[in-house]
Amino acid sequence: MRSAKESGCFPYRSKLVCFMELYPDGRLEQLTNQNEKLDACYNAINGRSKIVAVWPGNWRSDLFIIDDVEEFMDALMR
């Protein structure tokens, strides 16, 4: 799993990126709209879950941990 923060250019606003919320019990839920993404951000900030994303590329798709939740929230609010 790669770090979104360390990528330096993670496309938080891209419609091609699939965001998911990962819960401590192993549940994984796809985040399909802005409200779900913002709720997931608050959960992640409060330690109730983590956010992961799949960024598709030309030859492979990589899994990222969204480890800068504030940056993700800022991108959602623009």
Side-chain angles (χ1 to χ4, degrees):
M1 186 173 337
R2 297 179 59 190
S3 161
K5 184 189 298 187
E6 290 178 8
S7 75
C9 62
F10 195 83
Y12 292 107
R13 295 179 52 93
S14 172
K15 294 190 183 295
L16 299 176
V17 175
C18 178
F19 292 95
M20 294 160 278
E21 189 169 11
L22 177 62
Y23 294 92
D25 65 2
R27 281 183 302 132
L28 188 66
E29 294 182 4
Q30 186 173 351
L31 306 172
T32 58
N33 62 55
Q34 184 167 342
N35 288 337
E36 289 176 351
K37 292 173 185 174
L38 286 172
D39 287 345
C41 287
Y42 292 118
N43 287 339
I45 288 169
N46 291 308
R48 292 189 291 265
S49 68
K50 295 183 182 200
I51 303 171
V52 296
V54 176
W55 182 3
N58 289 332
W59 308 109
R60 69 178 197 198
S61 296
D62 291 330
L63 180 65
F64 288 80
I65 183 79
I66 304 302
D67 48 357
D68 191 348
V69 177
E70 288 82 12
E71 179 71 21
F72 182 35
M73 288 181 75
D74 288 345
L76 290 173
M77 301 306 262
R78 286 188 234 138

